[in-house]
Amino acid sequence: MTTLADTKAGRGSTGGAGSDVPPAPPEKLRRRRPHGAQWAAIGFAAPLLAYLAMFYAYPLWRNIDLSTHDYNIRAFVQGDADFVGWQNYAEIFSSSLFAQALANTAFFTIVSIAFQFSLGLALAVFFRNYFPLSAPLRALFLMPWLLPLIVSASTWSWMLNSENGIVNSFLGAFGIGQINWLTSPETALLSVTLANIWLGIPFNLVILYSGLQNIPDDVYEAASLDGAGAWRQFWSITFPLLRPVSAITLLLGLVYTLKVVDVIWVMTAGGPGSSTTTLAIWSYREAFGTGQPDFSPAAAVGNILILVALLFGVLHLQLQRRQEAR
Amino acid sequence: MTARRAWWKTVLGLVFTGIMLFPVYWMFNVSLTQTSDLRSSPPHWFPWAPTFEGYATALDQQLPALGTSLLIGLSTVVLTVLIAAPAGYAIALLNLRGGRVLSFGLIVAQMIPAVVMAMGFYAIYVRLGLLNTVGGLILANSTIAVPFGVLLYTAFMAGMPKELLQAARVDGAGAWRTFISVVLPVSRNSTITVALFAFLWAWSDFIFASTLNRNGDMIPITLSIYQYIGNNTTQWNAIMATAVVASIPATVLLVLAQRYVAAGVTAGSVKD
């Protein structure tokens, strides 16, 4: 099982991260380098460049193309859809579903992240203590995150089942009557968020735990000598020193949660009504969720999501730069 | 005194782990429950009279889907490593011009929602005749792992001792030779990490499977479970048995390669 040394070695293996992307050589040096070396570099990067062009750039371009035309399944095959410009976007923004999808996305994302992060942090601090079995137990915590989402989502569906679910049966023992977790609009969004929190805890735990490992022990020893209790140590040492790692954890959590489809789709398919329809679900449902695919509005919603992702991509880079400068 | 306190923490740790893993236990419990007991209220906390009928049904019906998933997972691993390792080498060690821009592009690529990619792929696959094919699904699945792989290789290779590469150069090795006989063997741990994640992501993919391979002859296990839930809502023991079987790769990899898992999660996202 994992020992501390194991974990360290594990991190060490990626740990080139220390130097991260190599600093670009100064311009003068670069110009003096023979062209041959640059050609070799291009040669090694060529498969990736071709791959990115074919399987990222082209699909994304097709997506923009879809969102500015009026595609239906027939036009899709024949390729003769009418150009409609911003019309799909205008329809999305004026749709009554837009406000709800936005609100659902905000609730799902913010509540998920708040709980994933705080529970992940609490557990990371707890597992920082070395006690018998701490390493294997911490490893077991990864399990929910490694399972196929469809497996976890169907398990949660069954646990939250109104009549035969273990959750209602458990609550029933306390005299709480049957709750229709997934089939009533009041609780459905809460239910999928709950499952998503569970799914996200391991990820937060691992990143925050590795962040904790980098806070030197002597800082705590010094604080301890000064008479700082556990609570004081957390707020005065752990929390501030962990801030850069926390920022990235939250940011990644945000990006991952914004694009969640499978969990919600398997548990509620965005329903009942549109009570669990997030932007990602909306896009998925328009394109693939009904018998009649409506790719153009779906692509428009998808592109809005991409814009949000891009925004966070830039933020991510800024954060990394700041950390490198540290 | 300290020892006793430590054990007290172990007990607490066990309780936390128990709560966290309860859904996993429940999946296992239901998978062993007899069909007649599935609707019993309250549900049994333990499989009283464990039955393997769920597993029998699952294996009887799901074996081909498991095979398809295995094929997709392994092919995705090969494709990902073939593209990512040389690219990491070019960016980290051959000072590829524009390497920084490329790395940024890869970070952004990781943030593109799969549902958006799925639509783009659908549009292309309709024309190319790749819809409902395993090959199309492998290509689509690899887009989840390739950016991650390149970033991880780049980070690791950038930290490689420069003496190693200089020694190879002194011995007269060219860029290709250095890559094959020095860089790749030294990057073994990165390869394991990349392969592990590529496999897990491909194995658990649902979005691409449900959009690009919905009506294929060979469907992966995730889609198969999903269709199973739709057709077969009464046989939850069989559904959960399939779920348990579909979780086996994750469990095996967790036991065998947990340190790589931890390494992979933090790679590229946190500076050590």
Side-chain angles (χ1 to χ4, degrees):
Chain A
M1 291 271 114
T2 325
T3 62
L4 174 60
D6 268 351
T7 329
K8 286 237 167 95
R11 281 190 298 121
S13 73
T14 64
S19 36
D20 215 15
V21 181
E27 203 51 44
K28 241 198 281 173
L29 259 175
R30 224 196 239 177
R31 238 178 277 142
R32 246 188 279 148
R33 181 170 291 128
H35 282 287
Q38 210 32 243
W39 279 116
I42 295 170
F44 277 96
L48 174 71
L49 298 173
Y51 179 89
L52 289 178
M54 272 191 294
F55 300 115
Y56 270 98
Y58 189 59
L60 290 179
W61 180 81
R62 278 306 310 246
N63 225 54
I64 296 172
D65 178 60
L66 282 175
S67 72
T68 53
H69 287 76
D70 184 18
Y71 272 99
N72 50 39
I73 196 80
R74 186 188 52 78
F76 212 80
V77 179
Q78 296 176 344
D80 59 351
D82 295 328
F83 180 80
V84 295
W86 295 103
Q87 198 184 308
N88 286 310
Y89 292 91
E91 275 170 25
I92 293 295
F93 286 125
S94 59
S95 158
S96 59
L97 206 54
F98 184 73
Q100 185 171 21
L102 207 60
N104 287 345
T105 310
F107 178 90
F108 182 73
T109 312
I110 293 170
V111 175
S112 287
I113 289 177
F115 280 91
Q116 286 169 0
F117 180 79
S118 43
L119 291 173
L121 181 58
L123 287 163
V125 171
F126 175 72
F127 278 110
R128 194 179 194 279
N129 298 301
Y130 299 113
F131 51 84
L133 290 181
S134 79
L137 288 182
R138 186 164 46 80
L140 277 176
F141 260 84
L142 291 179
M143 187 88 187
W145 175 70
L146 294 174
L147 294 183
L149 279 171
I150 179 118
V151 165
S152 320
S154 18
T155 306
W156 277 93
S157 298
W158 183 239
M159 284 173 42
L160 293 172
N161 183 292
S162 303
E163 281 136 44
N164 310 99
I166 182 72
V167 174
N168 273 347
S169 157
F170 179 76
L171 293 177
F174 295 96
I176 299 170
Q178 177 178 320
I179 298 173
N180 298 319
W181 292 100
L182 296 172
T183 48
S184 106
E186 286 81 37
T187 49
L189 187 58
L190 187 69
S191 306
V192 292
T193 309
L194 195 71
N196 192 57
I197 291 170
W198 181 77
L199 287 165
I201 289 174
F203 179 80
N204 283 268
L205 168 63
V206 178
I207 298 198
L208 294 170
Y209 181 81
S210 97
L212 287 181
Q213 296 290 295
N214 293 331
I215 303 178
D217 279 330
D218 38 359
V219 183
Y220 288 102
E221 277 159 28
S224 198
L225 283 178
D226 289 346
W231 193 243
R232 183 70 203 278
Q233 285 184 19
F234 177 79
W235 285 111
S236 312
I237 302 175
T238 311
F239 204 65
L241 286 182
L242 205 58
R243 199 147 50 196
V245 180
S246 302
I248 284 188
T249 313
L250 288 169
L251 194 63
L252 287 176
L254 200 67
V255 172
Y256 292 152
T257 316
L258 277 174
K259 59 183 185 186
V260 165
V261 170
D262 7 26
V263 186
I264 303 181
W265 190 256
V266 171
M267 289 179 71
T268 63
S274 49
S275 57
T276 53
T277 300
T278 58
L279 288 172
I281 286 285
W282 189 13
S283 178
Y284 183 87
R285 178 154 63 187
E286 290 280 336
F288 304 106
T290 60
Q292 285 161 324
D294 216 345
F295 290 104
S296 295
V301 177
N303 289 336
I304 297 170
L305 272 178
I306 291 193
L307 278 183
V308 180
L310 259 176
L311 183 75
F312 288 120
V314 173
L315 254 174
H316 182 260
L317 196 76
Q318 293 278 325
L319 270 173
Q320 263 196 343
R321 283 237 175 97
R322 204 175 299 165
Q323 283 196 32
E324 270 168 42
R326 209 165 32 138
Chain B
M1 168 71 194
T2 42
R4 214 190 50 185
R5 269 189 58 177
W7 277 110
W8 173 76
K9 281 176 183 161
T10 303
V11 172
L12 202 59
L14 281 168
V15 171
F16 288 155
T17 316
I19 296 172
M20 186 69 180
L21 291 190
F22 180 77
V24 181
Y25 165 73
W26 199 244
M27 166 177 83
F28 187 64
N29 182 29
V30 173
S31 75
L32 290 170
T33 306
Q34 307 218 354
T35 311
S36 54
D37 282 346
L38 283 173
R39 300 272 160 196
S40 72
S41 182
H44 299 311
W45 287 85
F46 301 98
W48 295 103
T51 169
F52 287 95
E53 59 181 278
Y55 285 88
T57 316
L59 287 179
D60 191 37
Q61 298 174 0
Q62 306 294 336
L63 219 48
L66 285 166
T68 307
S69 279
L70 197 63
L71 173 70
I72 291 173
L74 294 177
S75 311
T76 305
V77 167
V78 172
L79 185 62
T80 303
V81 171
L82 279 181
I83 291 170
Y89 178 54
I91 298 172
L93 299 174
L94 300 177
N95 297 315
L96 179 75
R97 227 167 272 176
R100 252 178 185 277
V101 179
L102 190 57
S103 297
F104 174 64
L106 292 169
I107 291 175
V108 174
Q110 285 184 302
M111 300 184 170
I112 298 170
V115 63
V116 176
M117 294 298 290
M119 276 182 276
F121 274 116
Y122 191 92
I124 299 167
Y125 282 10
V126 162
R127 294 291 187 80
L128 295 181
L130 280 171
L131 269 191
N132 300 325
T133 64
V134 169
L137 205 48
I138 292 167
L139 281 176
N141 276 333
S142 69
T143 58
I144 312 172
V146 164
F148 166 82
V150 178
L151 291 171
L152 193 126
Y153 273 119
T154 306
F156 177 78
M157 289 173 182
M160 223 176 245
K162 297 287 170 284
E163 295 78 15
L164 261 172
L165 302 163
Q166 278 160 5
R169 198 173 303 153
V170 169
D171 288 346
W176 175 252
R177 190 66 205 279
T178 310
F179 176 62
I180 292 295
S181 12
V182 180
V183 176
L184 265 191
V186 176
S187 313
R188 201 198 56 186
N189 282 1
S190 309
T191 305
I192 297 175
T193 312
V194 171
L196 178 89
F197 276 84
F199 183 83
L200 275 179
W201 286 333
W203 181 271
S204 25
D205 162 69
F206 170 72
I207 296 186
F208 287 132
S210 70
T211 54
L212 304 174
N213 194 10
R214 183 178 303 211
N215 304 311
D217 295 328
M218 292 169 74
I219 58 168
I221 188 67
T222 48
L223 187 57
S224 188
I225 294 178
Y226 180 68
Q227 295 181 347
Y228 212 30
I229 300 173
N231 301 336
N232 234 326
T233 28
T234 48
Q235 268 206 304
W236 274 90
N237 52 1
I239 292 169
M240 289 295 119
T242 316
V244 171
V245 176
S247 311
I248 288 175
T251 316
V252 171
L253 291 173
L254 179 65
V255 173
L256 290 182
Q258 39 160 306
R259 67 194 175 108
Y260 301 104
V261 173
V265 186
T266 49
S269 49
V270 183
K271 225 174 89 77
D272 266 323

